[in-house]
Amino acid sequence: IPAVPKESFDLDALAEKMHQVLPAYAIPKFIRFKKALETTPTFKVKKVVLHKEGFDPDQIDDSIFALLPGEKTYKPLTPELYQEIAGGKYPY
């Protein structure tokens, strides 16, 4: 997987393109930027580890962005926004 510096990545352009070409159910609700991915000896990404870590910004040091229902752009996932999502304010 090629590494792309977070600072040079255009998240708004990605969101716009995804809304153009993907059905709503296929657009990722969360995007997480990691410095490195853990892989198996056969170079498969260890997705179970990512799943267990979840998307709580208090537990993860990586940058996480959320696409809120009805929105067209990603917003940084802050601890406050995480609490609103976990509390059911936004229907996912």
Side-chain angles (χ1 to χ4, degrees):
I1 297 174
V4 177
K6 179 180 64 170
E7 297 78 24
S8 67
F9 192 82
D10 190 351
L11 200 55
D12 291 335
L14 175 66
E16 182 180 333
K17 188 66 171 178
M18 285 191 294
H19 278 90
Q20 291 173 359
V21 299
L22 294 174
Y25 64 84
I27 298 172
K29 304 302 181 214
F30 299 95
I31 293 182
R32 176 176 170 183
F33 287 93
K34 289 191 64 67
K35 290 182 174 66
L37 292 172
E38 292 184 53
T39 58
T40 67
T42 57
F43 302 105
K44 295 179 183 174
V45 174
K46 292 185 178 180
K47 294 177 286 228
V48 173
V49 173
L50 296 172
H51 181 72
K52 286 181 182 178
E53 290 175 348
F55 63 98
D56 184 352
D58 288 333
Q59 305 296 322
I60 301 169
D61 293 332
D62 303 321
S63 298
I64 305 172
F65 297 85
L67 182 65
L68 300 176
E71 300 272 334
K72 296 283 186 184
T73 60
Y74 287 89
K75 298 188 182 306
L77 186 65
T78 62
E80 296 80 20
L81 182 55
Y82 172 78
Q83 290 301 324
E84 290 176 354
I85 292 170
K89 180 175 179 180
Y90 299 102
Y92 278 104

